[in-house]
Amino acid sequence: MKSNDALISAWEKTLVRAPDAIAIFDTNRRAVRTFSQIETQVRTFESKIDMFGVGSVVAIQIGNHEDWPAILIACMRRKLVVLPLEKSIGPQQRDAALEICCASGIVEAAEQVRKIDGASPPNWGENSPSLLKLTSGTTAAPRVIRFRSEQLLADCNQICETMGISDADLSFGVIPISHSYGFSNLLTPLLARGVPMVLSQDRTPRAVLVDLARTGATVFPGMPIFYQAFCEMENVPALPGLRLCISAGAPLSATVAKKFREKFKQPIHSFYGASECGGICYDRDAANDIEGFVGAAMKDVDLEIVDARAKSSQIRVYSAAVGDGYFPEPDEEKLGRGCFLPDDLLARHNSGFKIVGRVSDVINVAGKKVNPAEVEAHLLRFAGVRQAVAFGRESALRNEEVVACVVADADLRESDLLEFCRSALSTWQAPKRIFVVDAIPVNERGKISRHELAKRFKQR
């Protein structure tokens, strides 16, 4: 019996087309799963989640594990709602996410399901979601985005067709599957289009480069921090199989792109997207000669400039991949009815766009969005801290890094504050520096400007 679910239907077609083909390799290019083995695992896992009712939320926190495809399909067949969680998320952030999403269970290890007592499925109303994505909100609490199967499939198709990715390719999976970038560039192409992947747990740049060479991967969805590190290495292996290098999560430096092209004879294609809507722009030509250039709109994505008279402006993104809205508090002006309004400021450049700034205070740490309110709320829990302001400052490797200023009643050591943050916040949220000051600097209008603080406390 054919499924009415868009992504499951696409998976079933993949399964019929190539049941015995290898779907997942390890970094030694050994077969880990065929497509038919994934389907067998799906049926086994379904019996382990039959205690959850339709619409229940099940969190998945297993890292880049080969069980991801089977767990996702099993949950979708049981009409459960999947909540991907990164392995590196802090315990407080994880507990907050589970509570906000009313999670009924969590998978923390391969096929091991833990039921969460007292939780009950939300009333989803019309258009119950298949997947929830976490992103930063306007308060210290994370924001949750609702997605249906059709939207996930639309994002997958837009990515594969825009970038020319097919089942003849082999994708190298080191970016987290639990992150929107990895989910849409690795997991859904495998399920819906039969694009096999290598799964890697080792994010050390040298190991990534060696494994890329050993596996013969043809597609590398990476981030600027990887490409920068590759450029600085000596005695690098040849990458004869690699044909497509993608960079997302943070703006790609033109200098890094040029060095990489000279060293590896490969261009890097900038990819711009957002958790709320998937892919937005893609640099098809990969000339990499303009800072912040992200190319033209993805296939089947329409962009509308909000302020056509300004040199730079926000854009509205329209596509079939746009999420249904935020949960539990909707914000239809920003997200809903097939439209998303990102916080980035874009400027037209020839036939595409370049990113020139942001209208919000959200900090972009190598593609992970950090709301400064979360960091500030934690710092204010430290005895003696009266005021705290967190902001992002430029980082060559991570686009931005988190920095903070605090005003305290007593003498405090920066090292104690840093350790306090590292013990509870996720690694990308914890400040790299904390400056203890007599007063938080303000601008000429008497307001605290995180932009001005970033300039005042920039790295030297």
Side-chain angles (χ1 to χ4, degrees), residues 187-207:
L187 185 56
T188 52
L190 180 144
L191 294 171
R193 288 178 167 247
V195 182
M197 64 177 169
V198 174
L199 276 182
S200 170
Q201 303 279 354
D202 192 341
R203 292 171 59 88
T204 309
R206 171 65 71 177

Side-chain angles (χ1 to χ4, degrees), residues 21-34 37 66 170 172 196-200 211 214-216:
I22 300 170
I24 303 174
F25 295 85
D26 67 14
T27 52
N28 289 307
R29 202 177 167 109
R30 291 188 295 243
V32 176
R33 294 279 191 281
T34 64
Q37 286 172 339
E66 58 266 23
L170 175 61
F172 190 89
M197 64 177 169
V198 174
L199 276 182
S200 170
D211 291 342
R214 178 166 50 225
T215 58

Side-chain angles (χ1 to χ4, degrees), residues 106-367:
I106 182 169
V107 182
E108 298 170 291
E111 294 194 0
Q112 295 180 16
V113 186
R114 175 168 64 85
K115 190 172 183 179
I116 299 175
D117 295 331
S120 58
N123 180 9
W124 296 115
E126 191 177 1
N127 293 329
S128 177
S130 301
L131 186 88
L132 302 177
K133 293 183 186 179
L134 291 179
T135 190
S136 294
T138 54
T139 68
R143 231 173 183 180
V144 183
I145 314 157
R146 298 172 49 151
F147 286 92
R148 286 175 286 119
S149 180
E150 298 94 313
Q151 294 154 337
L152 302 174
L153 181 60
D155 189 29
C156 166
N157 289 338
Q158 290 165 9
I159 286 170
C160 290
E161 290 171 21
T162 300
M163 300 181 185
I165 298 171
S166 74
D167 56 6
D169 282 304
L170 175 61
S171 295
F172 190 89
V174 67
I175 55 174
I177 289 176
S178 53
H179 190 266
S180 182
Y181 180 23
F183 189 91
S184 297
N185 279 70
L186 297 169
L187 185 56
T188 52
L190 180 144
L191 294 171
R193 288 178 167 247
V195 182
M197 64 177 169
V198 174
L199 276 182
S200 170
Q201 303 279 354
D202 192 341
R203 292 171 59 88
T204 309
R206 171 65 71 177
V208 171
L209 197 60
V210 169
D211 291 342
L212 267 171
R214 178 166 50 225
T215 58
T218 62
V219 178
F220 178 57
M223 299 181 293
I225 189 170
F226 283 122
Y227 294 113
Q228 167 111 21
F230 295 164
C231 290
E232 295 171 355
M233 290 180 189
E234 297 181 356
N235 302 317
V236 296
L239 303 172
L242 190 62
R243 69 163 194 86
L244 179 61
C245 295
I246 308 162
S247 180
L252 176 68
S253 160
T255 301
V256 170
K258 181 181 178 182
K259 288 182 179 178
F260 185 86
R261 185 193 293 265
E262 292 172 349
K263 190 164 190 169
F264 294 95
K265 313 304 179 189
Q266 285 279 351
I268 304 174
H269 297 261
S270 289
F271 174 39
Y272 167 51
S275 298
E276 287 87 345
C277 65
I280 300 173
C281 290
Y282 181 67
D283 182 5
R284 293 161 174 82
D285 297 331
N288 307 129
D289 53 355
I290 301 296
E291 292 290 345
F293 185 70
V294 291
M298 304 274 291
K299 185 179 186 296
D300 297 327
V301 175
D302 294 321
L303 305 181
E304 176 190 3
I305 298 175
V306 174
D307 186 353
R309 296 171 298 178
K311 290 184 178 179
S312 62
S313 169
Q314 287 179 269
I315 58 170
R316 290 189 179 91
V317 182
Y318 298 90
S319 91
V322 175
D324 279 331
Y326 293 113
F327 174 82
E329 297 295 332
D331 182 355
E332 290 191 3
E333 289 188 6
K334 188 171 180 65
L335 175 65
R337 300 180 182 178
C339 175
F340 172 56
L341 180 69
D343 290 330
D344 298 298
L345 293 171
L346 275 68
R348 280 198 178 277
H349 182 81
N350 295 333
S351 59
F353 294 88
K354 63 178 181 178
I355 300 174
V356 297
R358 289 180 65 82
V359 296
S360 78
D361 294 322
V362 173
I363 305 164
N364 185 345
V365 180

